[in-house]
Amino acid sequence: MISPNLPSELKAALDGKLQGFSRSDAARRSSQISSTYRAGGGSGTIKSEADALAYALARMPATYAAVAASLNALIEIVPDFAPETLLDVGAGPGTASWAAAEAFPSLQAFTLLDANAPLSRLALELARDSARLADCRYLPGDAGTNLAEVPPTDIVIASYIIGELAENDRRALMEAMWAKARHALIVIEPGTPAGYARVLALRQHLITAGAYVAAPCPHEKPCPLTPPDWCHFSQRLPRSQAHRQIKGADVPFEDERFIYVALTRAPPAGRALRVLAPPDVGKVEITAKLCTSHGLAITKVPRRDKAAYADARRWRWGDAVMSES
């Protein structure tokens, strides 16, 4: 399992880029970029080196934390998975590649795709002195076009990208990514109802194409949740002083809400129940909402069952618990 915190190499590279960079200017640029994303726009608003750096400083920590949590979930279900090649679609400043390098010591080759030139240049600068990523291959330009040219890889990751696309482009991209994934595809999106709907549609489409769900679901059946409920998770991460200044925040941490799906070519050897919300820890019992192979379950663990109660007290939102065969 890897930490949700940025690796020391990446932190040092970002700190180096901060030298002489106005925090107030970064905060202004970050705010404008965030407003565009919230309004449904994409990375087209990132047009300069300063824009790219402001975006990375504001969003890289949270994006990294969400990708790290998603990779941890895959590793927990498929512990023997040791990919050697990675394709990072919509790579931006390279966040998912950094997380994958931490999660999989077996990775030897990294290919990154993104149409945004300032972000691609920043990614290469941040990776320049990295022991793992210095030789990464970054292909700027349209991901759909580039996907047709790159060879299949062991794992494909797409983080916070499919929401930028129109529905027809989204379906074409998901099919192209799955075609390039020899063993696994992970897609991460914002933990909003809209992000959940996009991931749910991708999940169902690729299950029809032969994919198996390793995480978070313990099955390939339709999602048991009904509106207004939706599946999403939360990862807490610390904020550095620079991060707080750029985000205009006072608290020293951030909670990133996200949704993901990890799909594999082969069925997982084991399944696990998934904790879908923070458990309610009471004096008499612990109540937890779980996704199971049979559907949604509200599980109550009585305090009198000391061993089970002690185990349930360790459950956290998003955890895989009580393995199923």
Side-chain angles (χ1 to χ4, degrees):
M1 298 297 166
I2 63 172
S3 165
N5 302 338
L6 295 181
S8 57
E9 274 190 333
L10 178 54
K11 253 186 115 286
L14 278 172
D15 288 345
K17 297 290 292 181
L18 265 175
Q19 300 302 316
F21 191 56
S22 166
R23 305 290 173 85
S24 59
D25 181 53
R28 178 184 60 79
R29 291 175 187 272
S30 172
S31 177
Q32 291 175 344
I33 293 166
S34 296
S35 296
T36 300
Y37 271 93
R38 283 194 297 270
S43 61
T45 188
I46 301 172
K47 298 178 179 178
S48 67
E49 179 182 352
D51 288 340
L53 183 55
Y55 171 81
L57 292 168
R59 282 298 302 161
M60 249 186 141
T63 301
Y64 182 93
V67 176
S70 304
L71 291 173
N72 282 339
L74 172 63
I75 292 167
E76 194 168 12
I77 301 300
V78 193
D80 296 331
F81 184 42
E84 295 182 359
T85 54
L86 165 76
L87 179 60
D88 184 352
V89 180
T95 314
S97 292
W98 281 92
E102 289 290 305
F104 299 111
S106 55
L107 278 172
Q108 300 174 16
F110 301 80
T111 301
L112 291 73
L113 308 180
D114 202 292
N116 188 283
L119 284 175
S120 65
R121 287 195 295 270
L122 176 61
L124 291 172
E125 290 170 5
L126 293 175
R128 183 175 51 207
D129 297 323
S130 167
R132 299 288 306 284
L133 290 164
D135 295 327
C136 69
R137 180 187 181 205
Y138 205 119
L139 300 179
D142 176 71
T145 302
N146 282 328
L147 274 170
E149 300 173 0
V150 298
T153 59
D154 293 333
I155 182 170
V156 178
I157 302 178
S159 61
Y160 297 84
I161 176 63
I162 64 172
E164 297 185 24
L165 305 175
E167 186 172 348
N168 289 341
D169 294 334
R170 195 179 302 154
R171 174 163 291 203
L173 183 66
M174 74 173 76
E175 291 174 352
M177 291 191 300
W178 181 240
K180 295 298 179 180
R182 283 200 195 99
H183 300 295
L185 167 66
I186 299 184
V187 177
I188 304 109
E189 282 290 292
T192 61
Y196 161 68
R198 290 191 292 269
V199 169
L200 200 63
L202 177 144
R203 174 189 182 274
Q204 185 55 48
H205 186 71
L206 293 184
I207 287 172
T208 303
Y212 295 92
V213 182
C217 325
H219 55 76
E220 284 79 41
K221 300 171 185 175
C223 179
L225 296 179
T226 56
D229 200 2
W230 76 97
C231 186
H232 64 294
F233 306 99
S234 182
Q235 177 63 59
R236 177 159 292 186
L237 61 140
R239 280 178 170 149
S240 66
Q241 182 179 4
H243 193 199
R244 290 199 300 273
Q245 290 173 337
I246 290 165
K247 298 280 283 191
D250 296 322
V251 294
F253 62 85
E254 178 176 355
D255 291 316
E256 175 69 0
R257 302 293 173 91
F258 66 100
I259 177 62
Y260 71 98
V261 65
L263 303 168
T264 54
R265 292 280 177 188
R271 300 286 194 175
L273 312 182
R274 187 70 53 180
V275 181
L276 294 182
D280 181 12
V281 180
K283 294 181 179 180
V284 176
E285 62 187 12
I286 294 173
T287 303
K289 181 167 71 169
L290 303 176
C291 186
T292 80
S293 61
H294 305 293
L296 188 65
I298 304 300
T299 297
K300 297 182 182 294
V301 182
R303 190 183 187 96
R304 65 177 178 274
D305 188 342
K306 294 183 178 180
Y309 187 87
D311 187 47
R313 279 185 65 87
R314 292 191 290 270
W315 293 355
R316 296 294 180 267
W317 184 9
D319 281 357
V321 299
M322 302 187 311
S323 294
E324 297 182 320
S325 57

